[in-house]
Amino acid sequence: MFANSRFYSIAFNKCPRCHQGDFFVTNSAFSKNFDKMHDHCPHCGENFMPEPGFYWTSMFVSYAFYTIYILLTFFIVVQGFQIDLDYYLMGMLPSLVLLTPYFFRLARRTWLTLCITPKPQVYVKSSPQ
């Protein structure tokens, strides 16, 4: 059941329609071509570029992920472990820079997944009986 959910396609770089084909060309967010996407799903042919400028809105999704990350780390590090706020802020800047490719990819997958209805049962290959 988890393999056919929207969360699965977001978390594991899969097509939001069939949950089989890869969304990005590479599986690692920390490679040279972290931003290269397939134009269509290699498995079902779903269009990953519905219209020009479609992924502009994913900037707001990325902003939401950054905000959640900052708030969670603030409450864990500063409130939970009683670490000085200056040390937290000095460590936060490098971590945000390092996580930029990850949040970029996560925001794009999330935005497209919210706009496409999953239909994994249509593309499942049946086994001979």
Side-chain angles (χ1 to χ4, degrees), residues 6 9-10 16 54 57 61 65 107-118:
R6 289 179 185 229
S9 64
I10 294 169
F54 177 77
T57 311
V61 176
F65 287 139
R108 282 193 171 211
R109 288 191 309 252
T110 302
W111 182 241
L112 187 66
T113 300
L114 291 174
C115 297
I116 291 180
T117 305

Side-chain angles (χ1 to χ4, degrees), residues 64-79 88 92:
F65 287 139
Y66 276 112
T67 304
I68 291 168
Y69 174 74
I70 290 170
L71 289 174
L72 282 175
T73 56
F74 174 79
F75 285 113
I76 291 170
V77 173
V78 176
Q79 301 295 326
Y88 168 74
M92 181 56 60

Side-chain angles (χ1 to χ4, degrees), residues 20-102:
Q20 298 292 321
D22 288 336
F23 190 82
F24 283 94
V25 175
T26 61
N27 284 330
S28 174
F30 304 103
S31 65
K32 183 179 178 181
N33 296 323
F34 75 93
D35 60 339
K36 301 295 184 225
M37 294 174 43
H38 293 288
D39 289 334
H40 297 279
C41 175
H43 187 261
C44 70
E46 177 67 35
N47 185 9
F48 289 159
M49 297 292 199
E51 60 187 48
F54 177 77
Y55 289 107
W56 276 75
T57 311
S58 69
M59 289 187 309
F60 300 108
V61 176
S62 177
Y63 179 76
F65 287 139
Y66 276 112
T67 304
I68 291 168
Y69 174 74
I70 290 170
L71 289 174
L72 282 175
T73 56
F74 174 79
F75 285 113
I76 291 170
V77 173
V78 176
Q79 301 295 326
F81 293 120
Q82 302 297 319
I83 303 295
D84 189 34
L85 185 60
D86 292 336
Y87 293 124
Y88 168 74
L89 292 175
M90 286 189 304
M92 181 56 60
L93 185 61
S95 71
L96 291 176
V97 170
L98 290 174
L99 287 174
T100 296
Y102 178 75

